[in-house]
Amino acid sequence: MSEEQFRRLSQSFIKAGGTYLCLGGCSIEPEDDVPQPQNECEQQVVSSECTTCISLCNVTITVEGFIRLIDYMTRCGQSVDCDLTRLTLESNPAAEQPVLPMLGPQPISADYTTKLELYGIEMSTELICQIVGRMNQLNHSVTLGLNVCTEISDEYNPLRNQMVPPPNTSLNYTKRIEIEDTDISETLCLYVASSAIYYGYTCEISECGILPSEVPHADNLHFPQMAAIHSPAQTAKLRFHKASILQHVVERLACQAKISRHLVECVLDKCDVGPPPEVWSLKERMEEDPAIQIEEFKFEPNNDEFQSWRQERYKPGQIWNIRFKTTANKSALAESTAEKPEVTE
């Protein structure tokens, strides 16, 4: 079917509310010179109890069509549960570089939820960051899951899309991102975790390898301008479970947490924190900062469980359990802002 037919089909199900759309083994073909309707998300909001379920499996679609689908589902003002499995994303040479549009007017009520599960999909760093960036801006409850996906690393700089608070920021909704069994770049990990820290939501990364980034700007992935978004009572929760992570990434996350001006809880559960000989020096550096409170820092000599997990990819040394929390203060914020120069294009 054409993208225009798919757009009308999916939107009709979402507008009806409480419906179920399932497509499998389909190819959604792009069309030339098809005008996209404007402000199509401004519509009557149905009851939050009416959830539309959309399931696509083994479907071929352009990146642009994929983005438009996500954009509509997250802004339609209705509860949507979307499961996208093994989609093949194709580029459309005739289309401009796909970019998620800025948010328009939000629906009157935020009493609805969006659940987006992505399974077995190859996506670029830029595309994943754009999806997370969309999640950051929404003013309702959202859950985003990436499971057994493949990140195609590129030189995308998330700082091109500055992190800004959502309109009418409220604490009456929850946001959660889960990444499982997916190797991700250091750049993507820091962007996702920093988003969770500054917007005050939950991030869980399980059975993943966090790969070193070769992009130079990764060292400048800091967001001090976001520190005043949430009140000190807002809590962000990070959990890494059976993940392979470099210690300088852990240290940078602790630095981001301490300047966020609200409580941040970070747990590394049975993680390979490398390089092994220098992990105790990481503990010493973290202990020197009064804003970082280490609650647990120990290794497990018996790591048979971890070595049996994906042992062909990783040959870990000691497996670590680390738990810390931070409560930033104004002096730490001022110091961090002064130390980190503004990043420009």
Side-chain angles (χ1 to χ4, degrees), residues 201-256:
Y201 57 82
T202 299
C203 172
E204 182 164 337
I205 298 178
S206 302
E207 299 188 9
C208 295
I210 300 170
L211 308 179
S213 175
E214 297 180 358
V215 181
H217 66 250
D219 291 336
N220 295 323
L221 194 58
H222 297 278
F223 305 97
Q225 70 274 18
M226 290 298 299
I229 284 183
H230 288 287
S231 68
Q234 184 73 359
T235 302
K237 296 183 179 181
L238 305 179
R239 182 172 184 260
F240 297 83
H241 176 66
K242 290 185 180 179
S244 176
I245 183 171
L246 296 173
Q247 61 177 284
H248 76 264
V249 176
V250 178
E251 189 171 7
R252 191 177 307 172
L253 290 176
C255 177
Q256 294 292 336

Side-chain angles (χ1 to χ4, degrees), residues 130-197:
Q130 286 185 8
I131 295 172
V132 175
R134 159 62 79 215
M135 177 179 176
N136 292 341
Q137 296 178 52
L138 295 172
N139 196 25
H140 64 269
S141 296
V142 187
T143 297
L144 171 64
L146 280 73
N147 196 335
V148 198
C149 290
T150 300
E151 177 193 354
I152 304 174
S153 296
D154 54 28
E155 296 185 355
Y156 178 67
N157 183 353
L159 286 174
R160 290 174 185 167
N161 297 328
Q162 293 292 331
M163 300 171 75
V164 296
N168 304 318
T169 301
S170 169
L171 301 181
N172 295 326
Y173 58 77
T174 60
K175 294 185 179 181
R176 181 182 183 90
I177 182 168
E178 301 173 354
I179 304 178
E180 184 176 354
D181 199 15
T182 300
D183 288 344
I184 60 176
S185 66
E186 177 183 333
T187 298
L188 178 59
C189 174
L190 289 171
Y191 182 74
V192 170
S194 295
S195 296
I197 289 172

Side-chain angles (χ1 to χ4, degrees), residues 91-111:
S91 61
N92 180 7
E96 296 181 356
Q97 182 69 16
V99 176
L100 282 173
M102 295 298 294
L103 280 177
Q106 291 290 285
I108 297 175
S109 172
D111 186 23

Side-chain angles (χ1 to χ4, degrees), residues 11-20 46-47 50-53 78-79:
Q11 290 184 12
S12 65
F13 273 76
I14 293 175
K15 291 177 181 179
T19 57
Y20 178 65
V46 300
S47 170
C50 297
T51 299
T52 297
C53 297
Q78 301 178 27
S79 294

